Amino acid sequence: MKVAISFSICFALCGSALAEKTNFISGAGTYLYLAAGLGLPLLEKQNDHALRTLDSLVVSAAFAEITSHLTNKQRPDGGRYSFPSEHATAAFSVATMASSFHPDQAIFWYAGAAAIGQSRVQLKRHNWADVIAGAGLGYTTSRWELGTSRGFLISPWIQPSNKSFGLSVQGKF
């Protein structure tokens, strides 16, 4: 728990202090943030939380990828596939899951996700509508994940009779 709080505070403060360093926040910082959201539950021996977060992240990223290819909206810098922001989708998916498992840390997880979204606008990779749509998609997918008894795609299976265990990957919607 202390590790998660420390990381969340550090990322939120570093995100604010490095506002000019948007390349870090939008690049390596995003990967560190997502890794923390997936890895901290493992350090806390909350493997089910890590699996549920991974499940939500994969599903929300898939929705964002499909939507961006369907809309094919041009980016502010001239690139393609701007809507919705996949960075914001992933960040808010992780923030929502982590905040659900640790409500006392919610402000820090959402501050980190907001810093990632803001960096995408500042780099002119997205406009605010792209980021807000991505944030909404990540949040909604995670709330949907939390409302299910098991994951969308990934769920653990354990069979004590033959001492086997693993992950089940399913595909039903």
Side-chain angles (χ1 to χ4, degrees):
M1 170 104 164
K2 290 181 182 180
V3 173
I5 292 172
S6 298
F7 176 80
S8 299
I9 291 170
C10 176
F11 191 85
L13 293 176
C14 291
S16 299
L18 297 173
E20 298 123 317
K21 306 294 184 191
T22 55
N23 285 327
F24 170 77
I25 296 170
S26 192
T30 298
Y31 295 118
L32 288 171
Y33 179 85
L34 298 178
L38 293 168
L40 289 174
L42 295 174
L43 290 175
E44 299 170 343
K45 307 265 191 251
Q46 296 292 323
N47 297 348
D48 58 325
H49 291 180
L51 283 174
R52 296 296 298 264
T53 301
L54 176 63
D55 195 37
S56 179
L57 181 60
V58 167
V59 171
S60 64
F63 285 154
E65 182 75 16
I66 291 166
T67 303
S68 69
H69 282 270
L70 289 174
T71 59
N72 195 17
K73 182 181 175 221
Q74 187 172 349
R75 292 178 183 265
D77 67 358
R80 295 173 55 188
Y81 309 123
S82 181
F83 183 86
S85 167
E86 293 178 28
H87 279 71
T89 300
F92 276 88
S93 175
V94 166
T96 303
M97 296 301 287
S99 296
S100 173
F101 300 134
H102 299 288
D104 54 322
Q105 300 170 18
I107 188 72
F108 303 111
W109 285 105
Y110 284 116
I116 290 168
Q118 188 273 338
S119 74
R120 302 304 288 167
V121 173
Q122 193 168 359
L123 287 171
K124 299 194 185 320
R125 297 293 290 156
H126 293 283
N127 59 41
W128 282 110
D130 301 336
V131 170
I132 292 168
L137 179 59
Y139 176 84
T140 302
T141 304
S142 290
R143 296 308 306 171
W144 186 19
E145 166 83 24
L146 290 165
T148 64
S149 60
R150 300 181 72 135
F152 293 128
L153 301 173
I154 304 169
S155 56
W157 56 266
I158 301 171
Q159 294 181 343
S161 60
N162 62 2
K163 297 181 183 177
S164 65
F165 60 92
L167 295 176
S168 167
V169 178
Q170 54 194 358
K172 64 179 184 177
F173 287 90

